[in-house]
Amino acid sequence: VITDHHECKSELPQAAALVDPHRKDQPQPVTELAGVGVAFKLAAAIEGDQEKLLDQYCDFLCLGTVADVMPLTGENRTMVARGLRALANPKRVGIAALMAECAVQKGPVTAGTIGYTLAPRINAAGRMETGRLAVDLLKSTELAEAMAIGEKINANNNERKNIDKEIT
């Protein structure tokens, strides 16, 4: 099963299912969803209870939607608003550890906090080392492990910024 949110090429890849709101054969395309939103919609269709999943994963939806620089309208706005409220007091150890590592205080988290502080660090893990670091951070349930990964991700982001400066 492939999910994506980018414009489809003329020839689609072979898969059991290809879920993409840009498919030409969609009855009502919803083109503003981020990749995380498309994956969420698939999971909600399988689960049968979108509200239940939104309660569980609004923090991830928020992070992914803002990081993907999607318009904050329609469903994106709903998901992000709910996620921002959840991120004010994060329940996931990995997200809390990353916020602590980059000095994001508990309390109101904004799209700017995600776009300029959290998302660049998550993205830097894959650019500088391996995206597995970010996955491990977001899945982490142990505080010590999450703090160590958050520190490594922050170091990757600092290295990325230094390289960007050198290139500029």
Side-chain angles (χ1 to χ4, degrees):
V1 176
I2 299 170
T3 65
D4 195 7
H5 75 115
H6 295 100
E7 292 288 333
C8 294
K9 293 183 179 176
S10 57
E11 188 174 321
L12 299 177
Q14 292 294 322
L18 176 64
V19 182
D20 188 326
H22 288 281
R23 285 183 59 160
K24 303 290 186 239
D25 58 352
Q26 290 294 104
Q28 295 179 344
V30 181
T31 58
E32 77 273 356
L33 288 176
V36 69
V38 175
F40 170 75
K41 287 296 200 173
L42 174 61
I46 293 168
E47 169 67 30
D49 188 345
Q50 182 168 305
E51 276 301 306
K52 176 183 169 189
L53 285 184
L54 189 54
D55 281 342
Q56 286 181 279
Y57 299 110
C58 63
D59 53 351
F60 285 156
L61 283 162
C62 178
L63 286 169
T65 300
V66 174
D68 226 354
V69 194
M70 300 307 295
L72 299 182
T73 58
E75 283 189 281
N76 286 343
R77 185 177 190 84
T78 302
M79 289 186 271
V80 168
R82 204 150 163 185
L84 289 173
R85 287 191 300 274
L87 289 170
N89 191 11
K91 65 181 177 185
R92 296 187 204 280
V93 173
I95 293 173
L98 181 61
M99 290 171 69
E101 179 63 33
C102 50
V104 172
Q105 304 298 315
K106 284 190 177 182
V109 175
T110 66
T113 305
I114 295 168
Y116 294 105
T117 305
L118 301 176
R121 285 164 172 80
I122 292 169
N123 287 334
R127 290 185 179 147
M128 303 309 297
E129 194 168 332
T130 172
R132 188 79 205 159
L133 277 174
V135 171
D136 290 345
L137 175 76
L138 296 173
K139 287 176 49 181
S140 181
T141 58
E142 300 295 325
L143 182 59
E145 173 191 43
M147 294 300 289
I149 297 169
E151 186 177 328
K152 180 70 173 162
I153 284 176
N154 200 42
N156 282 334
N157 188 56
N158 289 334
E159 181 182 354
R160 178 200 56 83
K161 288 192 293 188
N162 288 335
I163 290 170
D164 284 351
K165 283 180 189 173
E166 286 178 27
I167 290 170
T168 301

